[in-house]
Structures are given as C-alpha cells and as structure tokens.
Amino acid sequence: MKRVWTLPLLFALGGAAVAATSAVSGKPGTAALLLLVFLALAAVHSPLIFPKPVGLREAQGRSAADGRPVVLWRPGCMYCIRLRLRLGRNAGRLYWVDIWRDAAGAEAARAANDGNETVPTVFIAGQPHTNPNPAWVREQLSPSP
C-alpha cells in the first residue's frame, strides 16, 4: 500500500475503534459524532480532495503551454490542504504534483527550498513561491476561457 493512504486509513480505523468503544458503552450519539469527525479527518488528509496529480515533467510542459501554475504538494500537509480548500473550484486550474509519488517533484521542492521538501511550493512562470497566500495564488490565475 502506498504511504499516501497511511494517515487517512489510520484516521478511519482509529475513528471506527473509538466509535465502537463509545457505542458499546451505551453512547450511540457520541459514537456517531466521533466517527464523523474521524472520517472527516481521513477525507481531508486523503489525496482524493486534490485534483488528479501529474508528474513534474508533464506539469512543466503543460504549464509552459498554457501558463497555469504548478503546485508541489504531499498528502497530509496542512498548508497544502489550506491552499487546496481556499482555492475552491480554481484548484483544478493548477497542475498538482504529489512529491511522494514523483521523485522529480521532490527534487524540485528541495532545489527551491534549500534542500527541504517544503510544500506547498507553487511555480508561477517558472519561479517558486513557498507556501504562498491562497488569495495571491488565485490572483495569479489567468481568467477562465
């Protein structure tokens, strides 16, 4: 199993165990609430909330053609989740490179961040911007066609 699913799976299984314990103790309402909280945490930390990741080379090629930004990210990164959620529907207008799946993406993150895999790192016109303000990133997007 890929490590991108480890944290979401732990949240889901841990939540199920905690909810089961509460249910057995005669607290079904608390059990349901705890299960929902843990499942929400699992969803937020899963790669499913992000647009389909592409490899760095493909993202760079597409970005050169259409000018869209490239985002280096990794599952479980709270700053990446913040960027993704604040971009809303605009997130699909960027190219997302999961550095845990793409070695070239991880190397690009290290090259841009003094050897650290700091994410999100957003490349706009080939220039890296580490953990930029989501509102600023939204402003950098060209108008929708």
Side-chain angles (χ1 to χ4, degrees), residues 32-50:
L33 180 63
L34 287 170
L35 184 59
L36 285 174
V37 167
F38 277 92
L39 290 177
L41 286 169
V44 167
H45 285 86
S46 86
L48 295 176
I49 67 165
F50 290 89

Side-chain angles (χ1 to χ4, degrees), residues 48-140:
L48 295 176
I49 67 165
F50 290 89
K52 185 176 186 235
V54 296
L56 179 66
R57 303 297 177 235
E58 181 180 346
Q60 288 172 328
R62 289 182 184 181
S63 179
D66 62 19
R68 292 182 181 187
V70 174
V71 180
L72 306 180
W73 71 285
R74 65 173 170 75
C77 166
M78 294 307 297
Y79 299 104
C80 299
I81 293 167
R82 174 180 149 254
L83 177 64
R84 166 59 188 97
L85 294 177
R86 293 225 177 130
L87 287 175
R89 285 183 279 192
N90 288 322
R93 296 176 56 205
L94 290 85
Y95 299 112
W96 296 80
V97 178
D98 180 349
I99 67 168
W100 280 358
R101 291 185 180 183
D102 188 82
E107 179 56 37
R110 288 190 297 271
N113 296 296
D114 299 321
N116 299 308
E117 291 183 356
T118 306
V119 289
T121 298
V122 180
F123 285 85
I124 298 176
Q127 297 292 20
H129 304 273
T130 304
N131 195 18
N133 184 309
W136 180 82
V137 173
R138 202 172 21 255
E139 290 171 6
Q140 306 310 304

